[in-house]
Amino acid sequence: MTKLNKGLLRLLLLLAMMVATNGAMAQYSYRFSDELGTYHVKFTPHKETKFKAPTTKPLLPATHELRIGILWGGLDCHGNIANDNSLYYYSDRVEVSKLSGPDHWYAFTLDYGYWAREWVSIGGSISWIAGLRNYYNEYDHKHAFTDHSNHISIMPIARFAWLRKGRVQLYSSIGFGFGILQQRHHSNPRTNSIEAYFTYDLKPFGIAVGRKWFGYMELGYGSRGVINVGFGYRINTKTK
């Protein structure tokens, strides 16, 4: 075996040892000499990387988003604000034999969105606005009955982010769909009623702060409320 072949064999053996022992200790540079000369080997181990949101953007494309929030001022099928004494509107009653308590309203929304691009998201929303009012006997003040009103709306929603910087995202959204109004009134001849209606939602201004976990607030008009606030979670499925 010639001296050249011996030198090449030593170099190949050295490289094989460096690859085999890379998990235990990373070798980035090595220098050795033999009768043929001096060799300088540089080695950088491969590392699998994943996409991470850049520091200048709140999210990347191919991001799934889930939001949970509360709302105020959602519109019912008559164009009235659902949680603004609308139980009186539907009851239309005058009863001197009963005393009524205050309205109690609970309003929630659950949204899903998929950001196909950094600036556009397509998804859907489910909103539920529930109201109740208790009535009491005027003589002994015992509970007599309770009126209920439930507004449930389902709609596709598109969001358009017109500012994306750091952890802050400013956007607008629009949605159209359908809703169901279910009511139960004990003093009304129609004690139980169900009504379907058209729903819409327009939010000229929305702000989300954060990346993986974020909080948001939206201002606008429609079935999802005049004010909508909550928090969300994002999952990015794009990897190298």
Side-chain angles (χ1 to χ4, degrees), residues 103-175:
D103 280 353
H104 296 282
W105 290 95
Y106 310 92
F108 306 94
T109 180
L110 176 65
D111 297 359
Y112 165 78
Y114 176 74
W115 291 90
R117 297 289 185 271
E118 294 176 1
W119 58 273
V120 60
S121 167
I122 303 296
S125 175
I126 300 176
S127 299
W128 174 44
I129 303 174
L132 59 89
R133 173 179 288 161
N134 293 319
Y135 285 79
Y136 306 90
N137 190 289
E138 68 175 335
Y139 301 105
D140 56 13
H141 296 277
K142 290 185 178 180
H143 178 262
F145 54 82
T146 302
D147 282 356
H148 297 270
S149 179
N150 292 285
H151 308 261
I152 300 174
S153 63
I154 301 174
M155 66 180 73
I157 285 186
R159 289 187 173 92
F160 305 93
W162 37 271
L163 188 146
R164 307 175 302 279
K165 188 173 182 180
R167 298 178 180 272
V168 178
Q169 179 193 62
L170 300 183
Y171 60 90
S172 302
S173 67
I174 186 171

Side-chain angles (χ1 to χ4, degrees), residues 167-215:
R167 298 178 180 272
V168 178
Q169 179 193 62
L170 300 183
Y171 60 90
S172 302
S173 67
I174 186 171
F176 299 94
F178 69 93
I180 296 175
L181 167 63
Q182 183 272 332
Q183 299 177 88
R184 185 174 66 191
H185 297 298
H186 289 77
S187 63
N188 193 304
R190 292 196 311 162
T191 57
N192 289 280
S193 64
I194 297 178
E195 184 176 354
Y197 58 96
F198 171 78
T199 63
Y200 67 94
D201 190 77
L202 177 63
K203 295 291 188 295
F205 178 80
I207 180 171
V209 181
R211 289 198 176 96
K212 191 171 185 179
W213 289 96
F214 63 95

Side-chain angles (χ1 to χ4, degrees), residues 5-25:
N5 290 337
K6 288 181 180 180
L8 291 175
L9 180 59
R10 290 178 182 178
L11 178 59
L12 292 175
L13 290 174
L14 176 62
L15 291 174
M17 292 176 61
M18 292 169 61
V19 172
T21 59
N22 178 59
M25 56 179 182

Side-chain angles (χ1 to χ4, degrees), residues 2-10 32-39:
T2 64
K3 291 183 179 181
L4 179 59
N5 290 337
K6 288 181 180 180
L8 291 175
L9 180 59
R10 290 178 182 178
F32 71 96
S33 301
D34 60 12
E35 60 272 17
L36 296 178
T38 300
Y39 306 90

